[in-house]
Amino acid sequence: MIKKIIISSMAFLGMSLATLYQADSMEIVPVVEDRVDSMVYEPIVVLELFTSQGCSSCPPADWLLDKVKTQFPDEVFALSYHVDYWNYIGWEDPFSKAEYTDKQSSYTKKFNHYTDYTPQLVVNGREHFVGSDALKLYASINKYAAENPSNKVRLKNVQSTTSEVKFDYAVSGQIEDKKLRVVLVLEERTTQVKRGENRNRALKNSNIVISEKYIPLEVKNGRATLPKPPVVVSSDKMSVMAIVEADNMDITAADKEPLY
C-alpha cells in the first residue's frame, strides 16, 4: 500500500514530539506596534493542518495543533482540514471532503512539493512541514508573531441559527488581487474509529473545518452566510473565521468569533 505521507520513521515522530517539552518554555516575541501608522496591523499566525482519521501518524499532529491554539489563543488561528484520500483503506473520515484535498494540492503546487502528505501543516500560506514537528511549529509561531501583516479583517454582528451563520466583515488595507475566505470551525469532536490504521482508537479532533467559501473582495465591507452542515449537533461549540488570502495563497489577515 502506497501512503501519501512524509514521515521517515516512527523514531523521527517521537523525536519531534520530544521537542515539545523544550518548546513549552518558548515565548512569543512581542511586537511594538507603531500607533501613528494606521497600516501597521497586529501579527497573526494561521495554522492549516491537513489530516485524516485514517492516518496513523496524524493523531500527534492533531494533539499539537490543539495545544498551541490553547497556548496562544490571540495570535494563533488553528484550522484542521480533513482530506479524503485515506478513506479507501476502510474508514471514511466523517469530516473529510474532496475540496480540502484540492486545497492541499494547490499548496503542493505552490511549494513545488512532489506530493500531498499527512500530517502537513501550512503556516500563513507561506511554508509547510510535518504537522507533528513541534520545534518547527514553535519557531514558525515566533517568526510570524514578529511580522505585521498587510491587512486587517474584523467580524461583526455574528448571528447563528439552526441552519446557518450570518455575519458582517470589514477589511482594512489594499484588497487588489485578494479574496476573503470564511470558515465555520467545529471546536472539538471525539470519534470512535472502527476500521483502518487507527481502528479501535478514540480520536479527538479539534478546530475542524466543516464549512467554507470564498468571497471576492470587490469592496472592503459586506455580509456573508455560511451553512451549518448535517454533521453539526446542538451541543457543538463552534467559531467563525475570516481570512484574507492573496492570489498566491499567502494569508494577510485573520479574525475569529465564537458562536454561543
Side-chain angles (χ1 to χ4, degrees):
M1 177 177 64
I2 297 176
K3 299 181 181 179
K4 293 184 176 181
I5 215 163
I6 302 230
I7 295 181
S8 59
S9 66
M10 291 305 293
F12 171 81
L13 226 183
M15 186 167 56
S16 294
L17 286 175
T19 62
L20 183 59
Y21 295 100
Q22 298 175 355
D24 272 345
S25 62
M26 298 175 68
E27 296 182 355
I28 287 185
V29 178
V31 176
V32 178
E33 183 176 347
D34 183 358
R35 300 296 179 181
V36 177
D37 185 356
S38 60
M39 296 303 291
V40 175
Y41 305 123
E42 295 179 359
I44 52 99
V45 183
V46 178
L47 305 177
E48 298 173 83
L49 177 66
F50 292 93
T51 185
S52 171
Q53 291 183 354
C55 160
S56 61
S57 299
C58 287
D62 298 326
W63 175 80
L64 182 58
L65 183 74
D66 185 64
K67 181 176 180 65
V68 296
K69 178 205 71 171
T70 303
Q71 283 183 299
F72 312 118
D74 297 326
E75 298 88 352
V76 167
F77 298 78
L79 297 170
S80 180
Y81 285 95
H82 289 232
V83 297
D84 67 345
Y85 51 77
W86 280 97
N87 292 352
Y88 77 97
I89 64 173
W91 177 254
E92 184 171 347
D93 188 326
F95 305 111
S96 64
K97 291 186 179 181
E99 63 193 82
Y100 301 158
T101 300
D102 292 341
K103 178 188 292 291
Q104 185 184 30
S105 295
S106 295
Y107 275 129
T108 298
K109 293 177 182 177
K110 172 181 178 173
F111 297 131
N112 294 317
H113 202 66
Y114 63 90
T115 188
D116 299 346
Y117 67 95
T118 55
Q120 180 190 35
L121 191 65
V122 177
V123 186
N124 280 12
R126 293 167 56 184
E127 64 175 286
H128 74 106
F129 46 84
V130 175
S132 54
D133 192 327
L135 190 60
K136 284 188 177 180
L137 176 53
Y138 278 86
S140 290
I141 291 174
N142 275 286
K143 173 184 174 181
Y144 292 106
E147 295 183 5
N148 296 107
S150 57
N151 290 100
K152 180 178 181 179
V153 60
R154 284 292 176 262
L155 294 167
K156 298 180 292 184
N157 303 321
V158 179
Q159 298 174 321
S160 178
T161 69
T162 56
S163 62
E164 63 185 8
V165 180
K166 299 179 181 180
F167 50 90
D168 296 327
Y169 61 85
V171 179
S172 302
Q174 183 270 122
I175 61 173
E176 184 179 358
D177 299 324
K178 293 177 182 176
K179 51 188 173 288
L180 186 71
R181 189 200 320 176
V182 290
V183 184
L184 186 61
V185 180
L186 183 63
E187 183 174 320
E188 183 180 306
R189 182 72 67 81
T190 298
T191 305
Q192 297 291 333
V193 178
K194 300 177 181 179
R195 294 176 296 278
E197 290 197 352
N198 288 313
R199 60 187 174 277
N200 301 324
R201 295 184 64 181
L203 296 185
K204 174 185 173 182
N205 297 114
S206 60
N207 317 296
I208 308 163
V209 177
I210 55 174
S211 183
E212 176 182 80
K213 73 177 179 180
Y214 282 87
I215 301 171
L217 276 178
E218 298 174 351
V219 294
K220 293 186 175 183
N221 300 276
R223 187 160 179 81
T225 302
L226 276 172
K228 288 183 178 179
V231 71
V232 175
V233 297
S234 59
S235 60
D236 283 331
K237 294 182 179 179
M238 294 177 290
S239 63
V240 60
M241 293 192 192
I243 295 169
V244 178
E245 183 178 312
D247 283 349
N248 67 354
M249 300 184 76
D250 283 3
I251 292 173
T252 61
D255 193 25
K256 57 187 173 184
E257 283 292 330
L259 300 180
Y260 299 104

